[in-house]
């Protein structure tokens, strides 16, 4: 009986082990000595942690440096699995890495290699002071910045400028220029010192809406040879004063402007018909049909795809800027007040979803500020390859009268990058061929538009695969030929 009981007990123990989660001891090691030298981390007042999906990214796993060599370690029991993690020091010092670190635990103890915090190995440093200076005059005109209540601050990748947080405030210098000298005790020679200017509305440090909308960050690379003219121990660098967001007075509208967005959605219709659906590029939502096109972009438009207002939706109904109902061209007239940016970044989306092109693959255009109305004509998806197998057909443009002669207009826009519209008028029914040649006479584009009735038409030319330069386009209608010059500028 005792042997039977022992056997049953052994089986039960094995079953419990097999059914339970396996775990192992994992030893983490991070070298903080360079962060200490830089003044980023103070061992006397701050703590180093490891955070990952094994501890819900909280501060439950503190590391210690028992022998005070700058290497912080800690051993913790972690269940088997594949995990992501980063090192962190209080109060908000996350590692600055492009991706999280990763590891796998598989039933046996693991000692991870010693790594430098942020993979930042010791480098030669210098003492440096920079005069950060930004012109807020345009931001004031645009209503983005109120000098009476708002702050303008600089944020960047050093503690002295907040490690991309905080509020290192600039003060009014003169003529709406805000500036501040900031000293860096350990600027790394040869490494990017990156920064941006940020508006804190009503001084709210947590305001997410005031970041400069520029491509990339502003950058200075310390050389160690900066001259110390005032003999205070810090080499000096005085960058050129910039406009907030790089928007100068020449970059804004001088008067109110109505912009008519027109987008030929034939490629979207064709792709749905051929493949059954098109998809939101961010969450893969399926769109199988649509009756409106949302226009998303910089103010007065919005990038919030989930709640595009009705006044920013384009329809093919012959109203609100749409010239011809039912021609697959969706249009919307949108009012831009004076002081708006005159260069617009925007994107279309069927049924309000982000279906036109890949993430951040947007249209860009500069408005002509010389009239009451500005017209934009786009081919849906022309800035990407998602619809390359479904090109738009020749488009008949709205007209109240039959043309009295054959004519070819100057392409628009010109210069262009990468697409432009070649418009022409026919006073009689004719077979039409559109060709483009480079300056050596080589044919680079040919489109047989077929037999067209009298009217005004437009053909889209895409120069994505061509180099910058001058090209000639030729429209042949029956026995009539016209040639014009255009410029591709990338």
């Amino acid at each position: 009986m005792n042997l039977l009981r022992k056997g049953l007990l052994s089986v039960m123990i094995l079953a419990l082990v097999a059914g339970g989660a396996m775990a192992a001891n994992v030893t983490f090691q991070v070298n903080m000595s360079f962060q200490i030298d830089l003044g980023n981390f103070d061992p006397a007042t701050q703590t180093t942690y490891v955070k990952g999906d094994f501890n819900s990214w909280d501060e439950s796993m503190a590391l210690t440096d028992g022998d005070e060599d700058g290497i912080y370690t800690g051993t913790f029991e972690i269940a088997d699995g594949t995990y992501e993690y980063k090192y962190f020091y209080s109060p908000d010092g996350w590692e600055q890495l492009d991706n999280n670190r990763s590891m796998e635990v598989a039933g046996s103890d693991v000692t991870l290699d010693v790594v430098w915090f942020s993979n930042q190995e010791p480098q030669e440093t210098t003492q440096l002071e920079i005069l950060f200076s930004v012109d807020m005059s345009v931001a004031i005109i645009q209503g983005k910045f109120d000098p009476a209540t708002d702050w303008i601050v600089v944020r960047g990748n050093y503690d002295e400028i907040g490690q991309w947080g905080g509020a290192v405030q600039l003060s009014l210098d003169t003529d709406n220029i805000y500036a501040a000298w900031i000293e860096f005790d350990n600027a790394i020679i040869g490494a990017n010192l990156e920064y941006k200017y940020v508006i804190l509305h009503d001084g709210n440090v947590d305001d997410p809406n005031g970041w400069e909308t520029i491509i990339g960050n502003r950058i200075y690379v310390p050389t160690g040879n900066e001259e110390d003219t005032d003999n205070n121990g810090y080499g000096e660098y005085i960058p050129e004063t910039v406009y907030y967001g790089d928007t100068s007075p020449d970059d804004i509208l001088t008067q109110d402007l109505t912009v008519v967005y027109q987008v030929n959605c034939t490629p979207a219709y064709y792709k749905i018909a051929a493949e059954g659906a098109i998809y939101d590029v961010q969450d893969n939502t399926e769109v199988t049909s649509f009756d409106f096109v949302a226009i998303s972009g910089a103010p007065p438009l919005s990038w919030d795809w989930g709640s595009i207002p009705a006044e920013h939706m384009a329809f093919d109904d012959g109203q609100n800027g749409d010239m011809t109902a039912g021609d697959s061209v969706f249009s919307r007239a949108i009012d831009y007040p004076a002081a708006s940016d005159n260069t617009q970044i925007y994107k279309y989306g069927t049924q309000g979803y982000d279906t036109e092109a890949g993430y951040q693959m947007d249209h860009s255009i500069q408005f002509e500020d010389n009239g009451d109305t500005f017209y934009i004509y786009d081919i849906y998806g022309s800035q990407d390859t998602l619809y390359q197998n479904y090109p738009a057909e020749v488009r008949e443009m709205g007209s109240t009268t039959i043309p009295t002669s054959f004519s070819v207009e100057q392409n628009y826009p010109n210069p262009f990058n990468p697409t432009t519209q070649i418009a022409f008028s026919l006073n009689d029914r004719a077979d039409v061929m559109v060709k483009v040649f480079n300056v050596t006479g080589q044919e680079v584009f040919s489109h047989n538009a077929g037999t067209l009735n009298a009217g005004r038409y437009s053909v889209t030319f895409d120069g994505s695969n061509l180099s910058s330069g001058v090209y000639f386009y030729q429209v042949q209608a029956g026995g009539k030929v016209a040639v014009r010059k255009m410029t591709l500028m990338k």
Side-chain angles (χ1 to χ4, degrees), residues 26-37:
V26 178
T27 300
F28 296 87
Q29 305 182 96
V30 59
N31 195 328
M32 300 296 293
S33 59
F34 189 41
Q35 300 302 316
I36 295 171
D37 292 343

Side-chain angles (χ1 to χ4, degrees), residues 261-265 293 328-331 348 356 378-380:
Y261 288 86
Q262 305 167 94
V263 56
N264 189 331
C265 291
V293 171
S328 299
V329 178
F330 286 67
S331 309
Y348 302 106
E356 189 192 13
D378 293 303
I379 302 297
Y380 195 90

Side-chain angles (χ1 to χ4, degrees), residues 327-340:
D327 64 351
S328 299
V329 178
F330 286 67
S331 309
R332 187 76 189 200
I334 297 176
D335 293 329
Y336 281 72
S340 298

Side-chain angles (χ1 to χ4, degrees), residues 92 116 177 258 460:
D92 55 8
W116 293 96
I177 295 175
T258 297
T460 300

Side-chain angles (χ1 to χ4, degrees), residues 132-145:
F132 292 93
S133 178
V134 57
D135 191 323
M136 300 300 293
S137 57
V138 175
I140 292 172
I141 294 172
Q142 294 177 311
K144 295 179 179 179
F145 180 71

